[in-house]
């Protein structure tokens, strides 16, 4: 492997791998059927420091680097993609936004319980008519005295039901475009804030995805994250980290599908020999291994740029674009290698294929990643 992990990173990877395969994996297929939220897994993940990995130790986190985080997240995704998406949103868009933009009081009140895994967090940007174009969102927040009053509906919110606190974007000044969007910390139980429709999804079925409805929902003015008008910047910078997470998640599912396909191929005989003796299968194995390794390097590269505090927006989008497209191909090929069995629910590749489908869609579609990458490349004065 080109990228050399430190001893500590290898130790974290091994610890999470063991936990993931022993604790998270065994009931993943059952949860896919029942849609049961793996609350007990998150409790244990909190104890292991996986719910606020990059949060500084003084706020109850692990103070881990981004490379350790992507290693841990891919290991969780290897066993259960539903569990990994909750971990990803919690660690990146939620905890990181609070770390970066929160006041000391906000950190004590919200970040500390999030980092320990005592509570789950959600981030609400998307709306029924504002997905790729969040600036067109319709949710508003008007200030009255010492409060903001939020009105609007958010859609496709990961952990909408199971979260205890949500970071919500809303327009505080319609005339200012993206600079008129602000971000608010809204705890569950706030009057006027309810959970709406639950999506019945193709994959990630144990992770809840819901509408959130705000009707004259009053929050103290002190619950604004950053300043008025910072909401779009908070969302974009949170998504930079989130996108590395989705890339790591893609890597985990791809590795699981690949390992399952290789195991199946080694045990399957046709035409009198193991199918791994056929070049048609051997070449699939070679292509799949190469694609996964290429994605891994992009994920590590983006994460280590983040650790070095270099700008990493472009590299996060590259990793997300490549890894999320790669896992579509890997899971499809893994099914192909299983033949008819791959099309049944008796083999895990069927679930991997469904779970992975959303990776090219959420936290910015592949088309949005191409916009971010091309904008960065074309603005870069060092490039011809
Ligand atoms: N970090 C910080 N600020 C950023 C930024 C970044 N990465 N990218 C842009 N900005 C800032 C810019 O500096 C600029 O601010 P100023 O004008 O004050 O300088 C402002 O944002 C606008 O920048 P652009 O003009 O470049 O933005 P744009 O409007 O042309 O493009 C976009 C933006 C890339 C298309 C963006 O709208 C986008 O990413 N859309 C996709 C949204 C998305 O990913 N949604 C996913 C939903 S969340 C989800 O899926 C969560 C879940 O539950 C799993």
């Amino acid at each position: 492997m080109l990228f050399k992990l430190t001893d500590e990173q290898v130790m974290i990877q091994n610890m999470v791998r063991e936990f993931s395969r022993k604790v998270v994996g065994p009931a993943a297929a059952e949860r896919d059927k029942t849609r049961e939220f793996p609350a007990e897994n998150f409790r244990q993940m909190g104890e292991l420091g996986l719910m606020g990995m990059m949060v500084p130790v003084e706020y109850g986190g692990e103070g881990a680097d981004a490379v350790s985080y992507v290693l841990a997240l891919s290991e969780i995704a290897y066993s259960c993609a539903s569990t990994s998406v909750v971990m990803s949103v919690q660690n990146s868009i939620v905890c990181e936004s609070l770390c970066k933009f929160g006041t000391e009081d906000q950190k004590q009140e919200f970040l500390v319980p999030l980092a320990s895994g005592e509570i789950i967090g959600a981030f609400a940007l998307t709306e029924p008519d504002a997905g790729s174009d969040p600036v067109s969102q319709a949710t508003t927040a008007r200030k009255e005295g010492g409060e903001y009053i939020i009105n609007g509906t958010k859609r496709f919110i990961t952990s909408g039901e199971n979260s205890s606190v949500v970071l919500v974007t809303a327009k505080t000044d319609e005339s200012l475009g993206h600079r008129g969007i602000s971000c608010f910390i809204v705890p569950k139980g706030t009057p006027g804030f309810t959970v709406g429709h639950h999506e019945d999804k193709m994959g990630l079925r144990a992770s809840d995805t819901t509408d959130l409805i705000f009707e004259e929902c009053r929050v103290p003015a002190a619950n604004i994250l950053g300043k008025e008008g910072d909401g779009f910047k908070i969302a974009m910078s949170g998504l930079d980290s989130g996108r590395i997470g989705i890339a790591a998640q893609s890597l985990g599912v791809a590795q699981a599908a690949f390992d399952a396909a290789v195991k199946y191929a080694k045990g399957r005989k046709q035409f009198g020999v193991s199918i791994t003796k056929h070049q048609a299968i051997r070449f699939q194995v070679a292509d799949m291994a190469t694609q996964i390794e290429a994605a891994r390097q992009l994920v590590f590269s983006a994460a280590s740029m983040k650790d070095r505090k270099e700008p990493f927006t472009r590299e996060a989008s590259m990793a997300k674009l490549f890894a999320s497209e790669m896992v579509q191909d890997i899971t499809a090929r893994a099914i192909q290698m299983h033949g008819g069995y791959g099309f049944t629910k008796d083999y895990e590749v069927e679930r991997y294929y469904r779970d992975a489908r959303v990776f090219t869609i959420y936290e910015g579609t592949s088309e949005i990643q191409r916009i971010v990458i091309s904008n960065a490349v074309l603005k870069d004065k060092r490039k011809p």
Side-chain angles (χ1 to χ4, degrees):
M1 187 196 294
L2 184 67
F3 196 92
K4 182 91 179 84
L5 299 176
T6 64
D7 290 348
E8 195 183 341
Q9 288 162 347
V10 172
M11 198 186 72
I12 291 173
Q13 183 182 36
N14 288 339
M15 182 271 286
V16 182
R17 180 171 295 168
E18 196 186 335
F19 169 78
S20 176
R21 310 237 175 140
K22 271 196 192 147
V23 179
V24 178
E30 185 58 23
R31 281 196 298 272
D32 175 58
K33 289 194 194 107
T34 61
R35 296 170 67 183
E36 187 188 339
F37 186 72
E40 173 53 25
N41 285 349
F42 293 121
R43 195 192 58 73
Q44 293 186 49
M45 286 164 67
E47 281 173 5
L48 290 173
L50 301 179
M51 298 306 276
M53 279 187 79
M54 294 170 289
V55 173
V57 178
E58 64 262 38
Y59 297 111
E62 289 300 299
D65 58 16
V67 169
S68 301
Y69 167 65
V70 295
L71 289 167
L73 186 58
S74 334
E75 290 299 335
I76 297 293
Y78 186 98
S79 301
C80 177
S82 294
T83 304
S84 69
V85 68
V86 177
M87 175 180 168
S88 175
V89 169
Q90 172 101 349
N91 275 275
S92 58
I93 328 187
V94 176
C95 284
E96 272 200 61
S97 301
L98 281 165
C99 268
K100 234 165 140 178
F101 297 95
T103 62
E104 185 57 29
D105 284 351
Q106 290 171 343
K107 287 180 186 170
Q108 292 299 339
E109 186 174 356
F110 301 108
L111 184 59
V112 170
L114 282 162
S116 68
E118 191 188 314
I119 61 170
I120 303 279
F123 193 92
L125 173 72
T126 300
E127 297 187 1
D129 296 317
S132 289
D133 177 18
V135 179
S136 67
Q137 65 186 265
T139 298
T140 57
R142 66 176 198 279
K143 198 167 185 189
E144 263 184 34
E147 290 178 324
Y148 282 96
I149 303 168
I150 305 174
N151 280 288
T153 297
K154 296 292 177 178
R155 176 146 296 168
F156 299 141
I157 307 308
T158 301
S159 307
E161 174 74 45
N162 287 293
S163 52
S164 300
V165 63
V166 186
L167 306 185
V168 183
T169 61
K171 282 190 167 161
T172 38
D173 188 339
E174 175 71 44
S175 68
L176 294 179
H178 68 266
R179 293 191 186 136
I181 295 173
S182 304
C183 184
F184 300 91
I185 307 170
V186 189
K188 281 283 175 60
T190 305
F193 172 19
T194 49
V195 176
H197 172 69
H198 284 232
E199 301 298 342
D200 185 4
K201 298 172 300 185
M202 172 182 184
L204 302 186
R205 291 179 61 76
S207 140
D208 56 300
T209 306
T210 75
D211 279 4
L212 297 179
I213 300 159
F214 300 87
E215 292 165 306
E216 291 291 291
C217 172
R218 290 171 177 267
V219 291
N223 280 29
I224 192 165
L225 187 59
K227 299 187 302 295
E228 249 189 42
D230 280 350
F232 190 70
K233 190 171 70 182
I234 292 171
M236 289 300 112
S237 74
L239 282 167
D240 282 346
S241 299
R243 287 165 184 169
I244 302 181
I246 303 308
Q249 187 185 28
S250 303
L251 202 54
V253 175
Q255 190 67 54
F258 177 67
D259 290 353
V262 168
K263 183 175 166 211
Y264 176 82
K266 281 183 173 167
R268 174 77 173 166
K269 280 197 175 135
Q270 289 294 278
F271 304 104
V273 288
S274 158
I275 61 170
T276 56
K277 298 283 178 210
H278 299 304
Q279 193 182 57
I281 296 296
R282 299 181 79 85
F283 279 17
Q284 297 263 12
V285 169
D287 286 347
M288 289 161 87
T290 305
Q291 284 191 65
I292 293 172
E293 193 52 32
R296 194 185 324 276
Q297 297 304 327
L298 283 175
V299 174
F300 284 162
S301 161
S304 49
M305 286 177 78
K306 180 169 187 252
D307 285 335
R308 293 195 301 269
K309 308 211 180 323
E310 293 169 16
F312 63 94
T313 299
R314 182 179 78 161
E315 286 70 19
S317 283
M318 285 176 168
K320 204 266 185 189
L321 172 63
F322 187 86
S324 66
E325 293 288 346
M326 172 280 294
V327 71
Q328 309 306 313
D329 186 44
I330 299 295
T331 51
R333 286 186 193 228
I335 287 181
Q336 191 71 19
M337 280 169 68
H338 279 71
Y341 294 111
F343 193 57
T344 72
K345 290 190 184 287
D346 295 337
Y347 285 81
E348 296 211 307
V349 286
E350 183 269 347
R351 172 167 56 90
Y352 301 150
Y353 182 78
R354 285 184 290 106
D355 281 345
R357 186 59 195 89
V358 74
F359 299 169
T360 62
I361 298 171
Y362 65 16
E363 302 217 7
T365 59
S366 289
E367 293 72 21
I368 288 293
Q369 307 315 322
R370 290 186 176 101
I371 290 175
V372 173
I373 297 163
S374 57
N375 280 348
V377 169
L378 296 168
K379 270 188 212 153
D380 189 340
K381 303 214 168 39
R382 293 164 303 170
K383 296 270 179 315

